[in-house]
Amino acid sequence: MNDGSVGEGGGEGGGEGKGTALVLGGGGLTGVGWEAGMLYGLARAGVDLTGADLVVGTSAGSVVGAQLTSGLLTPRELYERQLGDPGGELPAKLGASLIGRYAVAMVRSRDAKSYRRRIGAFALAADTEPEGVRRKVLEARLVSHDWPERRLVVTAVDALTGELAAFERGSEAGLVDAVSASCAVPGVWPPVTVAGRRFVDGGVRSATNADLASGYGRVVILAPMATGAGLIPSPAAQAARLREAGAKVLLITPSPQARKVFGRNVLDPARRDPAARAGLEQAAEHVEQAREVWAAPRA
């Protein structure tokens, strides 16, 4: 199956490239809202990141990335879609007991891939909504069900092997299935079937999978989930590796005020609206940093 998978070393190339990459990390429905608010706030201030040569989307970021690259929504329209009644979203909870299961799996795993296999097995055995029911929610979120012409990479993890899948145009995964897989939080939502294989949330590997932007010279990372854990690298660690390879990198994580707005359950549909407003407000703090990274290099 041509899923666009890459090895654990990340994307192709290295060193300072000439293109731009926008990396959109995972973080539930609050992450979708916050990223949309952040992108609109930056664009409103004259720093439009939506024309990136590469967009990498993980979990919540895959939803935002698919919307942006569709060409059917402006940053303002994407932001406004997060406001008001989140009709059609299924309620869910990412609670302490589930996070505890993840932690136990990590302690019992010898390396990152074995951890992902363990989490995949847990996801396959979990009692969740049927796959088709969940898919309809993602269909409704997306304004287009076709892969964009611009390069969008959507991350997921093979539930059996623990391998990263980097889906993009030309892979056997349709866009809706790719985004559904990237958003398949283990133990909350069902793994997604693509060409006979089952996939779970790309955030099982990394909250941002920012290493897939390797080879791009200017990278902005929006990371609603700012930390790593044990075998999962943090966004800051991945950003540092990109900088070491010669890229100009800006990592933006939620402010204390935004984290407070997110609350304790990032999957709560009612928190998407306030998270979007928090992202819009926070954007003003990062305009000049984003402008410096995103500006075209001088000849």
Side-chain angles (χ1 to χ4, degrees):
M1 173 178 135
N2 177 22
D3 57 13
S5 297
V6 299
E8 293 306 298
E12 297 179 357
E16 185 174 359
K18 296 187 181 299
T20 55
L22 173 62
V23 178
L24 301 168
L29 286 171
T30 59
V32 172
W34 179 80
E35 289 179 346
M38 181 64 63
L39 289 166
Y40 173 45
L42 292 174
R44 189 171 66 174
V47 187
D48 188 352
L49 306 181
T50 63
D53 298 308
L54 167 70
V55 177
V56 177
T58 293
S59 201
S62 72
V63 175
V64 176
Q67 305 285 56
L68 284 179
T69 56
S70 71
L72 300 175
L73 292 175
T74 65
R76 178 175 179 173
E77 290 168 337
L78 176 60
Y79 167 72
E80 290 177 344
R81 281 173 62 89
Q82 314 313 313
L83 307 180
D85 180 13
E89 291 290 348
L90 297 174
K93 185 175 183 180
L94 187 61
S97 61
L98 185 57
I99 294 173
R101 290 290 298 268
Y102 297 165
V104 170
M106 187 168 294
V107 170
R108 293 179 176 176
S109 301
R110 66 181 182 275
D111 56 32
K113 190 175 290 186
S114 64
Y115 165 71
R116 297 196 293 269
R117 288 197 297 266
R118 194 179 294 271
I119 290 296
F122 165 63
L124 290 168
D127 182 17
T128 65
E129 294 280 353
E131 188 175 337
V133 172
R134 174 63 175 163
R135 190 181 193 278
K136 289 185 181 299
V137 174
L138 274 300
E139 286 178 344
R141 279 191 202 171
L142 303 182
V143 294
S144 173
H145 296 169
D146 298 320
W147 282 99
E149 293 293 334
R150 286 172 46 215
R151 191 179 181 205
L152 168 68
V153 174
V154 172
T155 68
V157 168
D158 187 305
L160 289 179
T161 68
E163 292 282 354
L164 169 70
F167 296 116
E168 57 183 298
R169 184 179 181 86
S171 71
E172 290 191 58
L175 180 62
V176 174
D177 286 330
V179 172
S180 298
S182 193
C183 294
V185 180
V188 177
W189 305 121
V192 172
T193 305
V194 176
R197 293 165 63 185
R198 307 293 300 283
F199 294 90
V200 297
D201 198 311
V204 173
R205 178 181 183 265
S206 160
T208 60
N209 291 293
D211 54 324
L212 298 186
S214 174
Y216 286 78
R218 290 167 285 145
V219 183
V220 172
I221 304 169
L222 302 186
M225 299 182 69
T227 61
L231 299 171
I232 301 177
S234 68
Q238 291 192 324
R241 289 189 63 181
L242 291 172
R243 292 189 189 101
E244 289 168 2
K248 295 182 67 174
V249 181
L250 172 62
L251 169 63
I252 303 177
T253 60
S255 65
Q257 294 80 4
R259 291 196 300 271
K260 184 176 180 179
V261 166
F262 291 178
R264 296 184 178 181
N265 180 20
V266 300
L267 301 180
D268 182 357
R271 308 309 300 171
R272 189 180 66 184
D273 179 318
R277 297 178 191 274
L280 178 61
E281 181 178 353
Q282 185 185 344
E285 303 171 16
H286 303 283
V287 170
E288 293 310 315
Q289 295 170 307
R291 195 189 314 276
E292 181 180 353
V293 168
W294 213 246
R298 294 180 180 179

CSV table of all heavy atoms in Angstrom, one decimal, residues 27-78:
chain,number,residue,atom,x,y,z
A,27,GLY,N,-4.5,18.1,19.4
A,27,GLY,CA,-5.0,18.7,20.6
A,27,GLY,C,-6.5,18.7,20.8
A,27,GLY,O,-7.0,19.6,21.4
A,28,GLY,N,-7.2,17.8,20.1
A,28,GLY,CA,-8.6,17.7,20.3
A,28,GLY,C,-9.3,18.8,19.7
A,28,GLY,O,-8.8,19.6,18.9
A,29,LEU,N,-10.6,19.0,20.1
A,29,LEU,CA,-11.4,20.1,19.5
A,29,LEU,C,-10.9,21.4,19.9
A,29,LEU,O,-11.1,22.4,19.2
A,29,LEU,CB,-12.9,19.9,19.9
A,29,LEU,CG,-13.6,18.8,19.1
A,29,LEU,CD1,-14.9,18.5,19.7
A,29,LEU,CD2,-13.7,19.1,17.6
A,30,THR,N,-10.4,21.5,21.1
A,30,THR,CA,-9.8,22.8,21.6
A,30,THR,C,-8.6,23.1,20.7
A,30,THR,O,-8.3,24.3,20.4
A,30,THR,CB,-9.4,22.8,23.0
A,30,THR,OG1,-8.4,21.7,23.2
A,30,THR,CG2,-10.6,22.6,23.9
A,31,GLY,N,-7.8,22.1,20.2
A,31,GLY,CA,-6.7,22.3,19.4
A,31,GLY,C,-7.2,22.9,18.0
A,31,GLY,O,-6.5,23.8,17.4
A,32,VAL,N,-8.2,22.3,17.5
A,32,VAL,CA,-8.8,22.8,16.2
A,32,VAL,C,-9.1,24.3,16.3
A,32,VAL,O,-8.8,25.1,15.5
A,32,VAL,CB,-10.0,22.0,15.8
A,32,VAL,CG1,-10.7,22.6,14.6
A,32,VAL,CG2,-9.7,20.5,15.5
A,33,GLY,N,-9.9,24.6,17.4
A,33,GLY,CA,-10.3,26.0,17.6
A,33,GLY,C,-9.1,26.9,17.8
A,33,GLY,O,-9.0,28.0,17.1
A,34,TRP,N,-8.2,26.5,18.6
A,34,TRP,CA,-7.0,27.4,18.9
A,34,TRP,C,-6.2,27.6,17.7
A,34,TRP,O,-5.7,28.8,17.4
A,34,TRP,CB,-6.2,26.8,20.0
A,34,TRP,CG,-4.9,27.6,20.4
A,34,TRP,CD1,-4.9,28.7,21.2
A,34,TRP,CD2,-3.6,27.3,20.0
A,34,TRP,NE1,-3.6,29.1,21.3
A,34,TRP,CE2,-2.8,28.3,20.6
A,34,TRP,CE3,-3.0,26.3,19.2
A,34,TRP,CZ2,-1.4,28.3,20.4
A,34,TRP,CZ3,-1.6,26.3,19.0
A,34,TRP,CH2,-0.8,27.3,19.5
A,35,GLU,N,-5.9,26.6,16.9
A,35,GLU,CA,-5.1,26.8,15.7
A,35,GLU,C,-5.8,27.7,14.7
A,35,GLU,O,-5.2,28.5,14.0
A,35,GLU,CB,-4.8,25.4,15.0
A,35,GLU,CG,-3.8,24.6,15.8
A,35,GLU,CD,-3.6,23.2,15.2
A,35,GLU,OE1,-4.4,22.8,14.3
A,35,GLU,OE2,-2.6,22.5,15.6
A,36,ALA,N,-7.1,27.5,14.5
A,36,ALA,CA,-7.9,28.3,13.6
A,36,ALA,C,-7.8,29.8,14.0
A,36,ALA,O,-7.6,30.7,13.2
A,36,ALA,CB,-9.3,27.9,13.5
A,37,GLY,N,-8.0,30.0,15.3
A,37,GLY,CA,-7.9,31.4,15.8
A,37,GLY,C,-6.5,32.0,15.6
A,37,GLY,O,-6.3,33.2,15.3
A,38,MET,N,-5.5,31.2,15.9
A,38,MET,CA,-4.1,31.6,15.7
A,38,MET,C,-3.8,32.0,14.3
A,38,MET,O,-3.2,33.1,14.0
A,38,MET,CB,-3.1,30.5,16.2
A,38,MET,CG,-1.7,30.9,16.1
A,38,MET,SD,-1.1,32.3,17.2
A,38,MET,CE,-1.5,31.5,18.8
A,39,LEU,N,-4.2,31.1,13.4
A,39,LEU,CA,-4.0,31.4,11.9
A,39,LEU,C,-4.7,32.6,11.5
A,39,LEU,O,-4.1,33.4,10.7
A,39,LEU,CB,-4.4,30.2,11.1
A,39,LEU,CG,-3.5,28.9,11.3
A,39,LEU,CD1,-4.2,27.7,10.7
A,39,LEU,CD2,-2.1,29.2,10.6
A,40,TYR,N,-5.9,32.8,11.9
A,40,TYR,CA,-6.6,34.0,11.5
A,40,TYR,C,-6.0,35.3,12.1
A,40,TYR,O,-5.9,36.3,11.4
A,40,TYR,CB,-8.1,33.9,11.9
A,40,TYR,CG,-8.9,35.2,11.7
A,40,TYR,CD1,-8.8,35.9,10.5
A,40,TYR,CD2,-9.8,35.7,12.6
A,40,TYR,CE1,-9.5,37.0,10.2
A,40,TYR,CE2,-10.5,36.8,12.4
A,40,TYR,CZ,-10.4,37.5,11.2
A,40,TYR,OH,-11.1,38.7,11.0
A,41,GLY,N,-5.6,35.2,13.4
A,41,GLY,CA,-5.0,36.3,14.0
A,41,GLY,C,-3.7,36.8,13.3
A,41,GLY,O,-3.5,38.0,13.1
A,42,LEU,N,-2.9,35.8,12.9
A,42,LEU,CA,-1.7,36.1,12.2
A,42,LEU,C,-1.9,36.7,10.8
A,42,LEU,O,-1.3,37.7,10.4
A,42,LEU,CB,-0.8,34.9,12.1
A,42,LEU,CG,-0.2,34.3,13.5
A,42,LEU,CD1,0.5,33.0,13.2
A,42,LEU,CD2,0.8,35.4,14.1
A,43,ALA,N,-2.9,36.1,10.1
A,43,ALA,CA,-3.2,36.5,8.8
A,43,ALA,C,-3.8,37.9,8.8
A,43,ALA,O,-3.5,38.8,8.0
A,43,ALA,CB,-4.2,35.6,8.1
A,44,ARG,N,-4.6,38.2,9.8
A,44,ARG,CA,-5.2,39.6,10.0
A,44,ARG,C,-4.1,40.6,10.2
A,44,ARG,O,-4.3,41.8,9.8
A,44,ARG,CB,-6.2,39.5,11.1
A,44,ARG,CG,-7.1,40.8,11.2
A,44,ARG,CD,-8.2,40.6,12.2
A,44,ARG,NE,-7.7,40.4,13.6
A,44,ARG,CZ,-8.4,40.3,14.7
A,44,ARG,NH1,-9.8,40.4,14.6
A,44,ARG,NH2,-7.9,40.2,15.9
A,45,ALA,N,-3.0,40.2,10.8
A,45,ALA,CA,-1.9,41.1,11.1
A,45,ALA,C,-0.9,41.1,9.9
A,45,ALA,O,0.1,41.8,10.1
A,45,ALA,CB,-1.2,40.7,12.4
A,46,GLY,N,-1.2,40.4,8.9
A,46,GLY,CA,-0.3,40.5,7.7
A,46,GLY,C,0.6,39.3,7.5
A,46,GLY,O,1.5,39.4,6.6
A,47,VAL,N,0.5,38.3,8.4
A,47,VAL,CA,1.4,37.1,8.3
A,47,VAL,C,0.5,35.9,7.9
A,47,VAL,O,0.0,35.2,8.9
A,47,VAL,CB,2.2,36.9,9.5
A,47,VAL,CG1,3.2,35.8,9.3
A,47,VAL,CG2,2.9,38.2,10.0
A,48,ASP,N,0.3,35.7,6.7
A,48,ASP,CA,-0.6,34.6,6.2
A,48,ASP,C,0.2,33.3,6.0
A,48,ASP,O,1.0,33.3,5.1
A,48,ASP,CB,-1.3,35.0,5.0
A,48,ASP,CG,-2.4,34.0,4.6
A,48,ASP,OD1,-2.5,32.9,5.2
A,48,ASP,OD2,-3.2,34.3,3.6
A,49,LEU,N,0.0,32.3,6.9
A,49,LEU,CA,0.8,31.1,6.8
A,49,LEU,C,0.2,30.1,5.9
A,49,LEU,O,0.7,29.0,5.6
A,49,LEU,CB,1.0,30.5,8.2
A,49,LEU,CG,1.5,31.4,9.3
A,49,LEU,CD1,1.6,30.6,10.6
A,49,LEU,CD2,2.9,31.9,8.9
A,50,THR,N,-1.0,30.4,5.3
A,50,THR,CA,-1.8,29.4,4.6
A,50,THR,C,-1.2,29.0,3.2
A,50,THR,O,-1.7,28.1,2.6
A,50,THR,CB,-3.2,29.8,4.5
A,50,THR,OG1,-3.3,31.0,3.7
A,50,THR,CG2,-3.8,30.1,5.9
A,51,GLY,N,-0.3,29.8,2.8
A,51,GLY,CA,0.3,29.5,1.5
A,51,GLY,C,1.6,28.6,1.6
A,51,GLY,O,2.4,28.6,0.6
A,52,ALA,N,1.8,27.9,2.7
A,52,ALA,CA,3.0,27.1,2.9
A,52,ALA,C,3.1,26.1,1.8
A,52,ALA,O,2.2,25.5,1.3
A,52,ALA,CB,2.9,26.4,4.3
A,53,ASP,N,4.4,25.8,1.5
A,53,ASP,CA,4.7,24.8,0.5
A,53,ASP,C,4.3,23.4,1.0
A,53,ASP,O,4.0,22.5,0.2
A,53,ASP,CB,6.2,24.8,0.1
A,53,ASP,CG,6.6,26.2,-0.5
A,53,ASP,OD1,5.9,26.6,-1.5
A,53,ASP,OD2,7.5,26.8,0.0
A,54,LEU,N,4.4,23.2,2.3
A,54,LEU,CA,4.1,21.9,2.9
A,54,LEU,C,3.2,22.2,4.1
A,54,LEU,O,3.6,23.1,4.9
A,54,LEU,CB,5.3,21.2,3.3
A,54,LEU,CG,5.1,20.0,4.3
A,54,LEU,CD1,4.4,18.8,3.5
A,54,LEU,CD2,6.4,19.5,4.9
A,55,VAL,N,2.2,21.5,4.3
A,55,VAL,CA,1.4,21.5,5.5
A,55,VAL,C,1.4,20.1,6.1
A,55,VAL,O,1.0,19.1,5.4
A,55,VAL,CB,-0.1,22.0,5.3
A,55,VAL,CG1,-0.9,21.9,6.6
A,55,VAL,CG2,-0.1,23.4,4.7
A,56,VAL,N,1.8,19.9,7.3
A,56,VAL,CA,1.8,18.7,8.1
A,56,VAL,C,0.7,18.7,9.1
A,56,VAL,O,0.7,19.6,10.0
A,56,VAL,CB,3.2,18.4,8.7
A,56,VAL,CG1,3.1,17.1,9.5
A,56,VAL,CG2,4.3,18.3,7.7
A,57,GLY,N,-0.2,17.8,9.1
A,57,GLY,CA,-1.3,17.8,10.0
A,57,GLY,C,-1.4,16.6,10.8
A,57,GLY,O,-1.4,15.5,10.3
A,58,THR,N,-1.4,16.7,12.2
A,58,THR,CA,-1.6,15.6,13.1
A,58,THR,C,-2.9,15.8,13.9
A,58,THR,O,-3.0,16.8,14.5
A,58,THR,CB,-0.4,15.4,14.0
A,58,THR,OG1,0.8,15.1,13.2
A,58,THR,CG2,-0.6,14.4,15.1
A,59,SER,N,-3.8,14.8,13.8
A,59,SER,CA,-5.0,14.8,14.6
A,59,SER,C,-5.8,16.1,14.4
A,59,SER,O,-6.2,16.3,13.3
A,59,SER,CB,-4.6,14.6,16.1
A,59,SER,OG,-5.7,14.1,16.9
A,60,ALA,N,-5.9,16.9,15.4
A,60,ALA,CA,-6.6,18.2,15.2
A,60,ALA,C,-6.0,19.0,14.1
A,60,ALA,O,-6.7,19.6,13.2
A,60,ALA,CB,-6.6,19.0,16.5
A,61,GLY,N,-4.7,18.9,13.9
A,61,GLY,CA,-4.0,19.7,12.9
A,61,GLY,C,-4.3,19.1,11.5
A,61,GLY,O,-4.3,19.9,10.5
A,62,SER,N,-4.7,17.8,11.4
A,62,SER,CA,-5.1,17.3,10.1
A,62,SER,C,-6.4,17.9,9.6
A,62,SER,O,-6.6,18.2,8.4
A,62,SER,CB,-5.2,15.8,10.1
A,62,SER,OG,-6.3,15.4,10.9
A,63,VAL,N,-7.3,18.2,10.6
A,63,VAL,CA,-8.6,18.8,10.2
A,63,VAL,C,-8.3,20.2,9.7
A,63,VAL,O,-8.8,20.7,8.7
A,63,VAL,CB,-9.5,18.8,11.5
A,63,VAL,CG1,-10.8,19.6,11.1
A,63,VAL,CG2,-9.9,17.4,11.9
A,64,VAL,N,-7.6,21.0,10.5
A,64,VAL,CA,-7.3,22.4,10.1
A,64,VAL,C,-6.5,22.4,8.8
A,64,VAL,O,-6.8,23.2,7.9
A,64,VAL,CB,-6.5,23.1,11.2
A,64,VAL,CG1,-6.1,24.5,10.8
A,64,VAL,CG2,-7.3,23.1,12.5
A,65,GLY,N,-5.5,21.5,8.7
A,65,GLY,CA,-4.7,21.5,7.5
A,65,GLY,C,-5.5,21.2,6.2
A,65,GLY,O,-5.3,21.8,5.2
A,66,ALA,N,-6.5,20.2,6.3
A,66,ALA,CA,-7.3,19.9,5.2
A,66,ALA,C,-8.2,21.1,4.8
A,66,ALA,O,-8.5,21.3,3.6
A,66,ALA,CB,-8.2,18.7,5.5
A,67,GLN,N,-8.7,21.8,5.8
A,67,GLN,CA,-9.5,23.0,5.5
A,67,GLN,C,-8.7,24.1,4.8
A,67,GLN,O,-9.2,24.7,3.8
A,67,GLN,CB,-10.1,23.5,6.8
A,67,GLN,CG,-10.9,22.5,7.7
A,67,GLN,CD,-12.2,22.2,7.1
A,67,GLN,OE1,-12.4,21.8,5.9
A,67,GLN,NE2,-13.3,22.4,7.9
A,68,LEU,N,-7.5,24.3,5.3
A,68,LEU,CA,-6.7,25.4,4.8
A,68,LEU,C,-6.3,25.1,3.4
A,68,LEU,O,-6.4,26.0,2.5
A,68,LEU,CB,-5.4,25.6,5.6
A,68,LEU,CG,-5.6,26.3,7.0
A,68,LEU,CD1,-4.2,26.3,7.6
A,68,LEU,CD2,-6.1,27.7,6.8
A,69,THR,N,-5.9,23.9,3.1
A,69,THR,CA,-5.4,23.6,1.8
A,69,THR,C,-6.4,23.3,0.7
A,69,THR,O,-6.2,23.2,-0.5
A,69,THR,CB,-4.4,22.4,1.8
A,69,THR,OG1,-5.1,21.3,2.4
A,69,THR,CG2,-3.2,22.7,2.7
A,70,SER,N,-7.7,23.3,1.2
A,70,SER,CA,-8.8,23.1,0.2
A,70,SER,C,-9.0,24.2,-0.7
A,70,SER,O,-9.5,24.0,-1.8
A,70,SER,CB,-10.1,22.9,1.0
A,70,SER,OG,-10.6,24.1,1.6
A,71,GLY,N,-8.5,25.4,-0.3
A,71,GLY,CA,-8.7,26.6,-1.2
A,71,GLY,C,-10.1,27.1,-1.1
A,71,GLY,O,-10.5,28.1,-1.8
A,72,LEU,N,-11.0,26.6,-0.2
A,72,LEU,CA,-12.4,27.0,-0.1
A,72,LEU,C,-12.7,27.8,1.0
A,72,LEU,O,-13.8,28.3,1.2
A,72,LEU,CB,-13.3,25.7,-0.1
A,72,LEU,CG,-13.1,24.8,-1.3
A,72,LEU,CD1,-14.0,23.5,-1.1
A,72,LEU,CD2,-13.6,25.5,-2.6
A,73,LEU,N,-11.7,28.0,1.9
A,73,LEU,CA,-11.9,28.8,3.1
A,73,LEU,C,-10.8,29.8,3.3
A,73,LEU,O,-9.6,29.4,3.2
A,73,LEU,CB,-12.0,27.9,4.4
A,73,LEU,CG,-13.2,27.0,4.5
A,73,LEU,CD1,-13.0,26.1,5.8
A,73,LEU,CD2,-14.5,27.8,4.6
A,74,THR,N,-11.1,31.0,3.6
A,74,THR,CA,-10.1,32.0,4.1
A,74,THR,C,-9.8,31.7,5.5
A,74,THR,O,-10.6,31.1,6.2
A,74,THR,CB,-10.6,33.4,3.9
A,74,THR,OG1,-11.7,33.6,4.8
A,74,THR,CG2,-11.0,33.7,2.5
A,75,PRO,N,-8.7,32.2,6.1
A,75,PRO,CA,-8.4,32.1,7.5
A,75,PRO,C,-9.6,32.6,8.4
A,75,PRO,O,-9.9,32.0,9.4
A,75,PRO,CB,-7.1,32.9,7.7
A,75,PRO,CG,-6.4,32.8,6.4
A,75,PRO,CD,-7.5,32.9,5.4
A,76,ARG,N,-10.2,33.7,7.9
A,76,ARG,CA,-11.3,34.2,8.7
A,76,ARG,C,-12.5,33.3,8.7
A,76,ARG,O,-13.1,33.0,9.7
A,76,ARG,CB,-11.8,35.6,8.1
A,76,ARG,CG,-13.0,36.2,8.9
A,76,ARG,CD,-13.3,37.5,8.4
A,76,ARG,NE,-14.5,38.1,9.1
A,76,ARG,CZ,-15.0,39.3,8.9
A,76,ARG,NH1,-14.3,40.2,8.2
A,76,ARG,NH2,-16.0,39.7,9.6
A,77,GLU,N,-12.8,32.7,7.5
A,77,GLU,CA,-13.9,31.8,7.4
A,77,GLU,C,-13.6,30.5,8.2
A,77,GLU,O,-14.6,30.0,8.9
A,77,GLU,CB,-14.2,31.4,6.0
A,77,GLU,CG,-14.8,32.6,5.2
A,77,GLU,CD,-14.7,32.4,3.7
A,77,GLU,OE1,-13.9,31.5,3.2
A,77,GLU,OE2,-15.5,33.0,3.0
A,78,LEU,N,-12.4,30.0,8.2
A,78,LEU,CA,-12.1,28.9,9.0
A,78,LEU,C,-12.3,29.2,10.5
A,78,LEU,O,-12.8,28.3,11.2
A,78,LEU,CB,-10.6,28.5,8.8
A,78,LEU,CG,-10.1,27.3,9.6
A,78,LEU,CD1,-10.9,26.0,9.4
A,78,LEU,CD2,-8.6,27.1,9.3
